[in-house]
Amino acid sequence: MVVGDIETGTEVAVVGAGPAGYVAAIRAGQLGLDVTLVEKDAWGGTCLNYGCIPSKALITAADLAHEAGDAEHMGIHADPAVDLSATVDWKDGVVDRLTGGVEKLCKANGVELVEGRAEFADDSRLRVVHGGDGQGAETLVFEHAVVATGSRPIEIPGFDFNDGPVLDSRQALALESVPDRLVVVGAGYIGMELSTAFAKLGSDVTVVEMLEDVLPGYEDDVARVVRERAREVGVDFRFGYTAAGWESTEDGIRVTADPAEEVAADGGTAVDADPDIDTDADAEPIALAADKTMVAVGRQPVTDTLNLEAAGVETDDRGFVETDHRTTTSVDGIHAVGDVAGEPMLAHAGSAEGQVAAEVIAGEPAALDHQAVPAAVFTDPEVGTVGLTAAEAREEGFEPAVGEFPFRSSGRALTTDEDGGFVRIVADEDTGFVLGGQVVGPEASELIAEVGLAVEMGATLEDLASTVHTHPTLSEAVMEAAEHAVGEAIHTLNR
Amino acid sequence: MATREFTLPDVGEGVAEGTLEAWLVSEGDQVSEDQPLAEVETDKALVDVPSPVDGTIERLHAEAGDVVPVGDVIVTFELDAGESGAGTQASSEPEAPADEAGADGSEPEPAPDPDPEPGPAEAPAGGNGTAEAAGSSSSSSGRVFAAPSTRRLARELGVDIAAVEGTGPGGRVTEADVRRAAGDEESSSSGEPATAETAATDTDDGTVTVTAGDDGAARAAERPPGDTVASPAVESANRDRTLAAPATRRVAEEESVDIDAVPAVEQRDGEPFVTADAVREYAEKQRQAQAADATALATGEGETVDTDADTDTDTVAEPELETSDASDASATEREEREPYGGVRRTIGEQMERSKYTAPHVTHHDEVDVTALVETREELKGVAEERGVRLTYVPFVMKACVAALKQFPYLNAQLDEENEEIVTKRYYNLGVATATDAGLMVPVVDGVDRKGLLEVARETNELVEQARDRRIDREKMRGGSFTVTNVGGIGGEYATPIVNYPEVAILALGEVRKKPRVVETDDGDEIRPRHVLPLSLSFDHRVVDGAMGARFTNAVMEYLRNPDLLLLE
Ligand SMILES: Cc1cc2nc3c(=O)[nH]c(=O)nc-3n(C[C@H](O)[C@H](O)[C@H](O)COP(=O)(O)OP(=O)(O)OC[C@H]3O[C@@H](n4cnc5c(N)ncnc54)[C@H](O)[C@@H]3O)c2cc1C
């Protein structure tokens, strides 16, 4: 252990090679700093290996299979067979290309790559423990450190990820065959993305969700579009239930769930609020037969792997490292970025933070002063949001001007055979500044980029409306929504 | 609780950095607005950096001795309730997907928050209603409508973008707005949109970076950058409308003065009214300020003397930088390197400019000041009763003024750009002073209009302030001629460097008793006399050797015969 323990110095030590950490490392390298990036598992972190990329690969494959088998109205007859292990191989190929790219980029920018688990010895030294036996450890003396250790899924009582039939999202993305029956616990964005994908691949999917709707945090009309479409592809919802446990049965497992307390007490109201949602008002525990169950109830920061206390870095009561808008923690010279530094736990937010951390370390006047961080959900249809909703704008003291354009009025949407959803633009009535947007519909994850640019640039409704958009494209919907907000829409009735 | 970051403001004259000499507060301290937080040594003086807010010091970001670039965060405040900053707001993303939705209410683990809140990385202050100022619509959230590139520019220039008034569509802040706020484009206070007020009315929903646009800098903005027209001393109005006669407007045009900037003489029909004289006075002040801005420090070779021992002389050795062989890295133990900055560098730059711009000539002579020594001896007691320590310097200053009146070219400046020699009708005399930080030249204004004791008192005060480095930078500007007292430390003759753009500088050696030939009724006799050596350096472009000598003669005449000063 201590034998062969060597001490090396580095200007910047980055712990964790996810989208937050590797971006920080590359940027720091570009700025001429001497950088060491330590990763205990895989270059690219959760995002490239077990998160964004694998899930999107699986979703694409599922969409393709599903659409091909559901195109008779377009005169296409097919009955695609899915070989999931081949799909997973393909996905792994994509992941390998990307992670290989990260490694190459790091090296090309002079980043020293070290494999191992890093933990703080004090506020200027990290101990890097190498995996495997006899590999020993080394000490890294740093001037600046960037903590980018990411997050991991939350486990709930009764469901242990080590048990065969219980999966976290990472394991679900590595399945060799499509489970006949899948119970998904949690209807957040990861739960919904994978439920929809597995349903399209042929699983019988039941989603157990404590709350009364999918995608908490999103507006009702946005969530509704996603929920309805999920039902159409065969997802069954059990809202108002908390998963309690599981047991093996002769032909698989049985997942039990209890009525969620809030709903039991207030079930009537929930039903009244949206008669569409079938909360079981009689509130009896339920049992669901399945082959696998995937738990996706949220993610928690990884702060227990690196002995933060030794450096004196403080975390908040949810375990996130506390940082300011320059990504600095409570300890001078130690930064934290990405999921470990808190919401929004999104790859691009982490990357943006990583860049700022590197620039701050290099002495540049960088800061996280983004107006908004966009978010996308890759359900069917997709959701893309950025900035303020109308309600939030009002809360912030704006008089919101809101414009909408439904995809059923979009020529391009109809020709892609996807006409659900809408684009909504929220602006300040007085000045016309675009404050935010919500898109639910085809390619929403791409469409939101334009709205994000508008928010970030301080563009006005007029700017969006007066920009000529290509026809026929989905992006016209953004222009039309802006026109609608100023009462000048052509292809929809003005408000 | 909202926090606010405070960056080192532009403490004037577009200084790029300052040395943090000392913190006057510590972490955890409760401070009130305007309370001095730190002493920062900039190019020319030690300045106090006042707190922009009421609050608690959460964190100090620099250590005493650090060289801090303007715009770098030096303090994080925790704001008192009700205190709201304007925000370069960090993103608070309300749309963040609520993790993977909480499906289990009984889950004791950190459960996903169904009501996502901005993460600590984005909005440490907590976006939700911290110091939410009730009221106005568009800026109510502290949002900044500006392109990311513009926001970055603001950070680079140390401008608090939230305080900048936008001129783009809908009030969007443009790059030009930011540059203007930074004082890059506009020299005078006109068009300076960043004010403390605008900053204060914005609400805070995030962390705030307060920079040059903020109060501290708004104060600094009254002192625009060095080589521009206006100067701290010049008070300029900034109106939209001004009443004035057409002739007055013509004068303003001739003088290249913005009439809306001229302080109003009176109100007529409720409108500010300006006269031609007011315009001229303002123009003159601007010119002086310009000159002053260009002038920083003068040089004498060294310290100021006072034959009266300790008075204005400290035996301060100039910091000596050994000539070092930089290539010899191993020599580090035998050498010490220190940053060339602050006052030291300003002195250096000023010397360099003077020496390379003005061809120097130095004229030497000595004067018998036995009578002056007696006069001073007589007056010293009287002065002391009035609380004034009387040295020779005020006598010399008075003598210089009398001589300057006869030789206006020595009280002048060469305006290279317009190819004009500007002779001055004011007599503001710089007194070179040795301080711990280096040479400084406080300026005693209007020496011609002041009595000897008044000049003495003011000189003493300014010299003391300079020594304590508490002197206002304005007090070191606008000189028309400089006196340097090298004799206090010893020595006779010097070759002082002119305090450019002034034209001449007079160095005084030590007053010593020397055997001198005196004409008496019994013929020539050798007697012990008090002798003062003089060295006058001047800019040969403006003053020729003969004039320099004649001027020196005139000064000597007054010093030999101090009674003559009574006639002045
Ligand atoms: C199924 C799924 C789908 C997702 N889809 C999206 C999406 O579509 N869009 C999106 O924006 N986000 C998505 N996310 C979230 C996204 O993956 C994360 O926000 C992102 O990966 C966070 O990046 P990070 O760099 O902070 O951490 P991570 O990517 O988690 O990387 C942290 C790295 O640090 C390493 N590490 C931890 N401790 C140590 C230590 N002590 N020493 C050395 N190394 C250490 C870990 O091994 C890991 O590789 C998804 C997540 C999941 C699970």
Side-chain angles (χ1 to χ4, degrees), chain A residues 154-157 185-190 208-210 216-218 241-243 295-300 316 318 320-326 329 331-332 341-346 353 359 364-375 385 387-389 392 396-398 428 430-431 433 435 456-459, chain B residues 5 59-61 72-73 76 88-114 116-124 132 135-149 151-152 155-157 161 169-173 205 207-209:
Chain A
I154 294 174
E155 259 186 354
I156 53 173
V185 180
Y189 86 98
I190 294 178
V208 177
E209 165 62 53
M210 176 181 77
Y218 287 89
Y241 281 96
T242 348
V295 178
V297 297
R299 297 180 66 82
Q300 62 193 15
D316 68 12
R318 295 173 64 198
F320 292 111
V321 176
E322 289 185 86
T323 55
D324 63 12
H325 71 300
R326 292 183 39 104
T329 64
V331 177
D332 253 3
E343 302 284 356
M345 292 208 268
L346 295 169
E353 291 159 23
E359 289 168 16
E364 295 200 1
L368 287 166
D369 68 349
H370 312 106
Q371 295 280 311
V373 177
T385 57
L388 304 182
T389 63
E392 286 161 349
E396 282 204 12
F398 294 101
D428 174 32
D430 273 1
T431 57
F433 285 130
L435 301 171
E456 210 59 56
M457 291 291 297
Chain B
E5 299 208 322
R59 194 139 158 225
L60 302 177
H61 295 270
D72 261 25
V73 175
T76 303
T88 349
Q89 160 237 4
S91 66
S92 65
E93 173 47 58
E95 295 296 313
D99 316 347
E100 312 177 28
D104 192 319
S106 59
E107 178 48 50
E109 298 280 330
D113 191 343
E117 54 178 48
E122 281 67 47
E132 193 94 57
S136 77
S137 60
S138 62
S139 63
S140 56
S141 64
R143 258 166 201 269
V144 175
F145 293 99
S149 54
R151 296 202 294 272
R152 182 174 179 103
R155 287 199 304 275
E156 274 165 6
L157 297 178
I161 195 162
R172 175 164 60 181
V173 178
D205 68 349
T207 315
V208 175
T209 303

Side-chain angles (χ1 to χ4, degrees), chain B residues 35 67 241 331 408 494 566:
Chain B
Q35 177 180 337
V67 175
R241 268 172 70 84
L566 296 174

Side-chain angles (χ1 to χ4, degrees), chain A residues 343-431:
Chain A
E343 302 284 356
M345 292 208 268
L346 295 169
H348 44 278
S351 298
E353 291 159 23
Q355 290 202 23
V356 167
E359 289 168 16
V360 167
I361 289 169
E364 295 200 1
L368 287 166
D369 68 349
H370 312 106
Q371 295 280 311
V373 177
V377 184
F378 295 80
T379 40
D380 183 1
E382 292 179 353
V383 178
T385 57
V386 68
L388 304 182
T389 63
E392 286 161 349
R394 197 167 285 117
E395 262 167 43
E396 282 204 12
F398 294 101
E399 185 53 53
V402 178
E404 276 183 11
F405 186 78
F407 282 112
R408 74 181 119 74
S409 305
S410 155
R412 186 61 183 135
L414 296 187
T415 62
T416 56
D417 198 33
E418 291 201 63
D419 63 352
F422 56 84
V423 172
R424 176 159 54 221
I425 303 286
V426 178
D428 174 32
E429 178 85 59
D430 273 1
T431 57

Side-chain angles (χ1 to χ4, degrees), chain A residues 16 20 39-40 45-47 52 56 118 149-150 189 299 305 338-339 346-347:
Chain A
E39 168 59 55
K40 68 174 168 56
T46 304
C47 175
C52 327
K56 266 79 261 183
T149 48
Y189 86 98
R299 297 180 66 82
T305 59
D339 285 7
L346 295 169

